[in-house]
PDB file of all heavy atoms in Angstrom:
ATOM      1  N   SER A 114       6.861  -1.821  28.144  1.00 92.00           N
ATOM      2  CA  SER A 114       5.978  -0.664  28.030  1.00 92.00           C
ATOM      3  C   SER A 114       6.319   0.226  26.847  1.00 92.00           C
ATOM      4  O   SER A 114       5.474   1.051  26.425  1.00 92.00           O
ATOM      5  CB  SER A 114       6.017   0.143  29.328  1.00 92.00           C
ATOM      6  OG  SER A 114       7.351   0.697  29.466  1.00 92.00           O
ATOM      7  N   ILE A 115       7.526   0.097  26.299  1.00 95.00           N
ATOM      8  CA  ILE A 115       7.860   1.057  25.206  1.00 95.00           C
ATOM      9  C   ILE A 115       8.158   0.337  23.869  1.00 95.00           C
ATOM     10  O   ILE A 115       8.417   0.991  22.854  1.00 95.00           O
ATOM     11  CB  ILE A 115       9.110   1.900  25.561  1.00 95.00           C
ATOM     12  CG1 ILE A 115      10.310   0.998  25.949  1.00 95.00           C
ATOM     13  CG2 ILE A 115       8.799   2.919  26.678  1.00 95.00           C
ATOM     14  CD1 ILE A 115      11.595   1.752  26.060  1.00 95.00           C
ATOM     15  N   LYS A 116       8.086  -0.981  23.891  1.00 93.00           N
ATOM     16  CA  LYS A 116       8.474  -1.732  22.684  1.00 93.00           C
ATOM     17  C   LYS A 116       7.672  -1.312  21.451  1.00 93.00           C
ATOM     18  O   LYS A 116       8.209  -1.247  20.326  1.00 93.00           O
ATOM     19  CB  LYS A 116       8.245  -3.244  22.959  1.00 93.00           C
ATOM     20  CG  LYS A 116       8.900  -4.103  21.930  1.00 93.00           C
ATOM     21  CD  LYS A 116       8.858  -5.592  22.209  1.00 93.00           C
ATOM     22  CE  LYS A 116       9.444  -6.335  20.993  1.00 93.00           C
ATOM     23  NZ  LYS A 116       9.408  -7.759  21.127  1.00 93.00           N
ATOM     24  N   ASP A 117       6.431  -0.989  21.597  1.00 93.00           N
ATOM     25  CA  ASP A 117       5.576  -0.645  20.459  1.00 93.00           C
ATOM     26  C   ASP A 117       5.767   0.795  19.955  1.00 93.00           C
ATOM     27  O   ASP A 117       5.206   1.176  18.953  1.00 93.00           O
ATOM     28  CB  ASP A 117       4.116  -0.870  20.799  1.00 93.00           C
ATOM     29  CG  ASP A 117       3.850  -2.343  21.061  1.00 93.00           C
ATOM     30  OD1 ASP A 117       4.686  -3.171  20.617  1.00 93.00           O
ATOM     31  OD2 ASP A 117       2.816  -2.687  21.703  1.00 93.00           O
ATOM     32  N   LYS A 118       6.561   1.563  20.671  1.00 95.00           N
ATOM     33  CA  LYS A 118       6.661   3.008  20.275  1.00 95.00           C
ATOM     34  C   LYS A 118       7.779   3.206  19.244  1.00 95.00           C
ATOM     35  O   LYS A 118       8.007   4.313  18.770  1.00 95.00           O
ATOM     36  CB  LYS A 118       6.983   3.866  21.528  1.00 95.00           C
ATOM     37  CG  LYS A 118       5.778   3.822  22.468  1.00 95.00           C
ATOM     38  CD  LYS A 118       5.980   4.638  23.724  1.00 95.00           C
ATOM     39  CE  LYS A 118       4.750   4.559  24.615  1.00 95.00           C
ATOM     40  NZ  LYS A 118       5.086   4.943  25.997  1.00 95.00           N
ATOM     41  N   TYR A 119       8.527   2.133  18.988  1.00 97.00           N
ATOM     42  CA  TYR A 119       9.694   2.282  18.082  1.00 97.00           C
ATOM     43  C   TYR A 119       9.660   1.192  16.998  1.00 97.00           C
ATOM     44  O   TYR A 119       9.063   0.146  17.188  1.00 97.00           O
ATOM     45  CB  TYR A 119      10.987   2.134  18.856  1.00 97.00           C
ATOM     46  CG  TYR A 119      11.217   3.277  19.811  1.00 97.00           C
ATOM     47  CD1 TYR A 119      10.802   3.193  21.133  1.00 97.00           C
ATOM     48  CD2 TYR A 119      11.843   4.449  19.366  1.00 97.00           C
ATOM     49  CE1 TYR A 119      11.003   4.265  22.002  1.00 97.00           C
ATOM     50  CE2 TYR A 119      12.026   5.546  20.229  1.00 97.00           C
ATOM     51  CZ  TYR A 119      11.605   5.426  21.519  1.00 97.00           C
ATOM     52  OH  TYR A 119      11.772   6.481  22.403  1.00 97.00           O
ATOM     53  N   ASP A 120      10.263   1.492  15.848  1.00 97.00           N
ATOM     54  CA  ASP A 120      10.427   0.460  14.811  1.00 97.00           C
ATOM     55  C   ASP A 120      11.580  -0.504  15.210  1.00 97.00           C
ATOM     56  O   ASP A 120      11.464  -1.681  15.016  1.00 97.00           O
ATOM     57  CB  ASP A 120      10.762   1.111  13.456  1.00 97.00           C
ATOM     58  CG  ASP A 120       9.613   1.994  12.971  1.00 97.00           C
ATOM     59  OD1 ASP A 120       8.451   1.503  12.992  1.00 97.00           O
ATOM     60  OD2 ASP A 120       9.841   3.174  12.640  1.00 97.00           O
ATOM     61  N   TYR A 121      12.668   0.098  15.724  1.00 98.00           N
ATOM     62  CA  TYR A 121      13.818  -0.683  16.149  1.00 98.00           C
ATOM     63  C   TYR A 121      14.340  -0.213  17.475  1.00 98.00           C
ATOM     64  O   TYR A 121      14.451   1.002  17.702  1.00 98.00           O
ATOM     65  CB  TYR A 121      14.935  -0.586  15.120  1.00 98.00           C
ATOM     66  CG  TYR A 121      14.615  -1.261  13.807  1.00 98.00           C
ATOM     67  CD1 TYR A 121      14.123  -0.516  12.733  1.00 98.00           C
ATOM     68  CD2 TYR A 121      14.800  -2.616  13.628  1.00 98.00           C
ATOM     69  CE1 TYR A 121      13.760  -1.113  11.511  1.00 98.00           C
ATOM     70  CE2 TYR A 121      14.472  -3.251  12.439  1.00 98.00           C
ATOM     71  CZ  TYR A 121      13.951  -2.496  11.376  1.00 98.00           C
ATOM     72  OH  TYR A 121      13.633  -3.121  10.188  1.00 98.00           O
ATOM     73  N   ILE A 122      14.645  -1.135  18.366  1.00 98.00           N
ATOM     74  CA  ILE A 122      15.339  -0.843  19.598  1.00 98.00           C
ATOM     75  C   ILE A 122      16.704  -1.572  19.534  1.00 98.00           C
ATOM     76  O   ILE A 122      16.731  -2.804  19.391  1.00 98.00           O
ATOM     77  CB  ILE A 122      14.517  -1.311  20.839  1.00 98.00           C
ATOM     78  CG1 ILE A 122      13.232  -0.530  20.889  1.00 98.00           C
ATOM     79  CG2 ILE A 122      15.335  -1.118  22.107  1.00 98.00           C
ATOM     80  CD1 ILE A 122      12.287  -0.943  22.035  1.00 98.00           C
ATOM     81  N   LEU A 123      17.786  -0.826  19.563  1.00 98.00           N
ATOM     82  CA  LEU A 123      19.111  -1.443  19.473  1.00 98.00           C
ATOM     83  C   LEU A 123      19.751  -1.383  20.832  1.00 98.00           C
ATOM     84  O   LEU A 123      19.676  -0.403  21.572  1.00 98.00           O
ATOM     85  CB  LEU A 123      19.995  -0.623  18.473  1.00 98.00           C
ATOM     86  CG  LEU A 123      19.476  -0.441  17.069  1.00 98.00           C
ATOM     87  CD1 LEU A 123      20.538   0.294  16.234  1.00 98.00           C
ATOM     88  CD2 LEU A 123      19.152  -1.801  16.392  1.00 98.00           C
ATOM     89  N   ILE A 124      20.401  -2.498  21.260  1.00 98.00           N
ATOM     90  CA  ILE A 124      21.082  -2.519  22.538  1.00 98.00           C
ATOM     91  C   ILE A 124      22.556  -2.681  22.339  1.00 98.00           C
ATOM     92  O   ILE A 124      23.016  -3.704  21.727  1.00 98.00           O
ATOM     93  CB  ILE A 124      20.549  -3.676  23.431  1.00 98.00           C
ATOM     94  CG1 ILE A 124      19.017  -3.663  23.506  1.00 98.00           C
ATOM     95  CG2 ILE A 124      21.167  -3.620  24.834  1.00 98.00           C
ATOM     96  CD1 ILE A 124      18.409  -4.901  24.223  1.00 98.00           C
ATOM     97  N   ASP A 125      23.357  -1.700  22.719  1.00 97.00           N
ATOM     98  CA  ASP A 125      24.800  -1.795  22.648  1.00 97.00           C
ATOM     99  C   ASP A 125      25.297  -2.543  23.886  1.00 97.00           C
ATOM    100  O   ASP A 125      25.194  -2.049  25.000  1.00 97.00           O
ATOM    101  CB  ASP A 125      25.403  -0.402  22.579  1.00 97.00           C
ATOM    102  CG  ASP A 125      26.969  -0.427  22.433  1.00 97.00           C
ATOM    103  OD1 ASP A 125      27.415  -1.393  21.792  1.00 97.00           O
ATOM    104  OD2 ASP A 125      27.630   0.455  22.887  1.00 97.00           O
ATOM    105  N   CYS A 126      25.820  -3.763  23.686  1.00 95.00           N
ATOM    106  CA  CYS A 126      26.206  -4.609  24.815  1.00 95.00           C
ATOM    107  C   CYS A 126      27.663  -4.358  25.264  1.00 95.00           C
ATOM    108  O   CYS A 126      28.490  -3.891  24.513  1.00 95.00           O
ATOM    109  CB  CYS A 126      26.080  -6.083  24.438  1.00 95.00           C
ATOM    110  SG  CYS A 126      24.373  -6.574  24.116  1.00 95.00           S
ATOM    111  N   ALA A 127      27.910  -4.731  26.536  1.00 91.00           N
ATOM    112  CA  ALA A 127      29.274  -4.606  27.071  1.00 91.00           C
ATOM    113  C   ALA A 127      30.121  -5.712  26.479  1.00 91.00           C
ATOM    114  O   ALA A 127      29.586  -6.783  26.109  1.00 91.00           O
ATOM    115  CB  ALA A 127      29.215  -4.710  28.596  1.00 91.00           C
ATOM    116  N   PRO A 128      31.469  -5.511  26.384  1.00 89.00           N
ATOM    117  CA  PRO A 128      32.325  -6.559  25.835  1.00 89.00           C
ATOM    118  C   PRO A 128      32.575  -7.659  26.862  1.00 89.00           C
ATOM    119  O   PRO A 128      33.723  -7.862  27.287  1.00 89.00           O
ATOM    120  CB  PRO A 128      33.602  -5.778  25.494  1.00 89.00           C
ATOM    121  CG  PRO A 128      33.610  -4.611  26.403  1.00 89.00           C
ATOM    122  CD  PRO A 128      32.164  -4.265  26.703  1.00 89.00           C
ATOM    123  N   SER A 129      31.521  -8.367  27.286  1.00 86.00           N
ATOM    124  CA  SER A 129      31.692  -9.500  28.206  1.00 86.00           C
ATOM    125  C   SER A 129      30.407 -10.331  28.074  1.00 86.00           C
ATOM    126  O   SER A 129      29.431  -9.868  27.499  1.00 86.00           O
ATOM    127  CB  SER A 129      31.823  -8.992  29.634  1.00 86.00           C
ATOM    128  OG  SER A 129      30.576  -8.489  30.070  1.00 86.00           O
TER     129      SER A 129
END
Side-chain angles (χ1 to χ4, degrees):
S114 64
I115 55 169
K116 195 174 173 182
D117 295 341
K118 295 179 180 161
Y119 293 93
D120 297 310
Y121 291 95
I122 295 177
L123 305 182
I124 308 173
D125 183 30
C126 296
S129 73

